[in-house]
Amino acid sequence: MNKVIGTAVSRKDGLAKVTGTATYAAEHQIPGLVHGYLVTASIANGQIKSIDTSAAKKASGVIAVFTHENAPKILMPANNFITSKIYEARLPLSDNKIHYAGQIIGLVVADTFERARDAAHLVKVEYATQKPLVDVTKATFEEAPSQFGEESKFEKGDLAAGLASATAKFTATYKTSTELHAPMEPHAIIAHWQDANSLTIYEPSQWVLGTQRTYADLFGLASERVRIVTPFLGGAFGSKAFPWPHGILCAAAAREVQRPLRVVLSRQQMTANAGHRSETEQIIRLGATADGSLTAIAHEAKSYTSSVDVFAEPCTSITPVMYSTPNLQLKQELAVLNIGTPTFMRAPGENPGMWAMESAMDELAWMLKIDPVELRLKNETQEHQRQGKPFSAKHFADCLRVGAEQFGWQDRPKQPRSLTRDGKLIGWGMAAATFPGLQGKASVKVRLLPDSTAHLLTAGNDMGTGTYTVVAMTAAEALGLPVEQVRVELGDSLLPTGGMAGGSQMTATLVPAVMSACQQVLKTANAKTAQEAFATLRQSKGAAFEATASSAPSDEANKWAFQSWGAHFCEVSVDEEIARLRVTRWVSVMDIGQVINSKTAASQVRGAVIMGIGQALMEECLFDPNIGYPVVYDLATYHFPAHADIPRIEVAFVGEPDLNFNPAGARGVGEIGITGVSAAIANAVYHATGKRIRNLPITPDKLI
Ligand code: MOS
């Protein structure tokens, strides 16, 4: 049999994307399409006293204007992740209250986009304004509610005793800034009601079936009356899993005007009302013996949410998995601000959590004069200290050793400020990476056709991570076909149930179903390979052999904790005169179980490292403390890395297939790469300059 899994295959969708033939949500051509433009609040806290739409309604081309005074009918969905989920629990236009700047307060529908936008600016609003709270230092923090089935507090052993018995005690506070997902494709939707009870939605969605059920709930329809079409997403990073208020309002307004309606958000609108990562403040306390064994770990995290929904950035999720300690204490606190609801963003929790933990471990290593790689090896845990389960197929130590060797870590000068090159200070740093192995449920249909192609179909989708290619490769191997002879159709709710492209789980979710559907179709065809089946089809003039198979997490999952691991090693250069910091070298080694596509998997890690470099050096969304508006609102004011900021990123994989996890042994790779990146950089900055930066991003002002 030909070996395809594990090889490097270029993206199936690559040509379509670079030639512009991949159709994104807003690009679908629907006859009779009309255009919506959002009216958004110019204050961040208060009420609408009056809203005058008369001029807007009279403007040329305007079809309708919606505000809270004539809000279209929308039903509250179950909103529980299982049956349905919306990003913000307050339905759009539900009353006259303003909770954050940029909140949606109206929608103008017109025959062209420009006329809708023009008329939106003719809507006159009078507000009763209250002073907004957008500053976490002035906010009241309370214990965060339990989230995703986990309490916000956890305690094992006796923290005070653990700290008392330590020879080295370390405490520090680490901060991260509000970050934007900033996908290349803006949030956009076309809602098309074929009749009063049939709705088609073209929207980038990381979770086609969930989005289908959610829109069905919102409008009191049976799921099968709603179709979600989302073959391509131009980046999502957690911001496109559930409907946002603009999508809900677009679908509701489209029903009222009885025309297909498109709403595209501007970058400025996206900043205010389509999610972001909350800023965080974390206190890490460590106790250790002189030889570096951790006697205590305490991790306290603060983040903010909006006044209309609850989302606590789950920073402490990584603490029980990283390092072994008899005494562990976790706590999450949450404040309410006049800022739109924060949400999942690439490695939610793990990313800021690892920033704090991996910075603290580096500081402890310097304090104890222990190699930071050794300190991590010494404290590795073989069980999840919160779930009490052993890790399956864990190769964290190999990540550290292989990474150290590839980077040349053993040659590291042991003092800060001891390496220079071309008049610049050079520093080396490292940090660990981690992300859980998650798997969902999916069904996949395979069809073998007389033209010697295999056709794979599922509603699960590709948010740019490589799902088309991974599905094709898995089928190619199972059927004994070249990848070119496999066609893959994704991202349409008419197709068999797919999983969610979130939590780095799409590969682990789909691959087992693809394997089993391919085995079944060969059985149905009574053939050993697809070629045999094709021959039978041609002889018998049959149309196709078909099979559908499903997969779900196995009972084995209850016995094990599934987690992926990694290590980053990096070099920075610092020009002290102008405080210019550059990342000049990078090595990442990952243990993600079975690698399906070595090319797209390495690309996922590279993309995540680049996003982490952005977080470390540039990305921050700031809010005007007086008016509460984001002062960073587009791709010019929200700084992120360009090619010139990025060095060559070496990526290697270690480990073995995690066969306790699923028959493919693959754990997924979308998010792990960003965890630990900012800590590795801050650790290298300390080595270069002797300055410890605990507040992201590391902008030049912090280095002067
Ligand atoms: Mo990811 S933040 O689960 O899309």
Short mmCIF file of all heavy atoms in Angstrom, two decimals, residues 50 52 85 89 110 353 391 425-426 522 554 602 604:
data_model
loop_
_atom_site.label_atom_id
_atom_site.label_comp_id
_atom_site.label_asym_id
_atom_site.label_seq_id
_atom_site.Cartn_x
_atom_site.Cartn_y
_atom_site.Cartn_z
N SER A 50 -33.20 58.76 22.27
CA SER A 50 -34.05 58.79 21.09
C SER A 50 -33.20 58.41 19.88
O SER A 50 -31.99 58.62 19.87
CB SER A 50 -34.65 60.18 20.89
OG SER A 50 -33.61 61.07 20.52
N ASP A 52 -33.52 58.71 15.66
CA ASP A 52 -34.31 59.30 14.58
C ASP A 52 -33.82 58.72 13.25
O ASP A 52 -32.71 59.00 12.80
CB ASP A 52 -34.14 60.82 14.61
CG ASP A 52 -34.88 61.51 13.48
OD1 ASP A 52 -35.56 60.81 12.68
OD2 ASP A 52 -34.78 62.75 13.38
N LYS A 85 -25.32 27.81 20.24
CA LYS A 85 -24.43 28.72 20.95
C LYS A 85 -24.32 30.03 20.18
O LYS A 85 -24.11 30.03 18.97
CB LYS A 85 -23.05 28.06 21.08
CG LYS A 85 -21.99 28.91 21.72
CD LYS A 85 -22.20 29.11 23.21
CE LYS A 85 -21.29 30.20 23.74
NZ LYS A 85 -21.86 30.87 24.93
N ALA A 89 -24.75 36.72 24.72
CA ALA A 89 -26.07 36.27 25.16
C ALA A 89 -27.17 37.31 24.96
O ALA A 89 -28.34 36.97 24.95
CB ALA A 89 -26.01 35.86 26.64
N ALA A 110 -30.23 48.68 2.08
CA ALA A 110 -30.41 49.48 0.86
C ALA A 110 -30.02 48.65 -0.36
O ALA A 110 -29.51 47.53 -0.23
CB ALA A 110 -29.55 50.74 0.94
N GLY A 353 -1.68 31.62 29.70
CA GLY A 353 -1.23 30.79 30.83
C GLY A 353 0.22 30.38 30.68
O GLY A 353 1.02 30.47 31.63
N PHE A 391 -1.07 10.66 31.35
CA PHE A 391 -1.02 11.14 29.97
C PHE A 391 -0.76 9.97 29.03
O PHE A 391 0.04 9.09 29.32
CB PHE A 391 0.08 12.17 29.80
CG PHE A 391 -0.23 13.48 30.45
CD1 PHE A 391 0.53 13.95 31.51
CD2 PHE A 391 -1.31 14.25 30.02
CE1 PHE A 391 0.22 15.15 32.13
CE2 PHE A 391 -1.62 15.45 30.63
CZ PHE A 391 -0.85 15.91 31.69
N LEU A 425 23.22 43.18 21.25
CA LEU A 425 23.16 42.12 22.26
C LEU A 425 22.36 40.95 21.69
O LEU A 425 21.34 41.14 21.04
CB LEU A 425 22.47 42.64 23.52
CG LEU A 425 23.26 43.67 24.34
CD1 LEU A 425 22.33 44.34 25.35
CD2 LEU A 425 24.44 42.99 25.04
N ILE A 426 22.86 39.76 21.96
CA ILE A 426 22.18 38.54 21.49
C ILE A 426 21.74 37.75 22.72
O ILE A 426 22.48 37.66 23.70
CB ILE A 426 23.14 37.67 20.64
CG1 ILE A 426 23.68 38.47 19.44
CG2 ILE A 426 22.46 36.38 20.18
CD1 ILE A 426 22.64 38.91 18.42
N LEU A 522 -14.78 -0.18 0.39
CA LEU A 522 -14.09 -1.28 -0.30
C LEU A 522 -14.82 -2.60 -0.04
O LEU A 522 -14.95 -3.44 -0.92
CB LEU A 522 -12.64 -1.36 0.15
CG LEU A 522 -11.74 -0.20 -0.30
CD1 LEU A 522 -10.31 -0.38 0.22
CD2 LEU A 522 -11.73 -0.06 -1.83
N SER A 554 -13.51 7.49 21.89
CA SER A 554 -13.74 6.15 22.41
C SER A 554 -13.81 6.16 23.94
O SER A 554 -13.46 7.15 24.59
CB SER A 554 -12.60 5.23 21.99
OG SER A 554 -11.46 5.53 22.78
N ALA A 602 3.66 21.51 9.81
CA ALA A 602 4.76 22.45 10.09
C ALA A 602 4.30 23.88 9.83
O ALA A 602 4.66 24.81 10.56
CB ALA A 602 5.98 22.10 9.25
N GLN A 604 1.28 25.02 10.21
CA GLN A 604 0.46 25.44 11.35
C GLN A 604 1.34 25.94 12.50
O GLN A 604 1.03 26.93 13.14
CB GLN A 604 -0.42 24.29 11.84
CG GLN A 604 -1.65 24.05 11.00
CD GLN A 604 -2.51 25.28 10.91
OE1 GLN A 604 -3.00 25.79 11.91
NE2 GLN A 604 -2.68 25.81 9.72
#
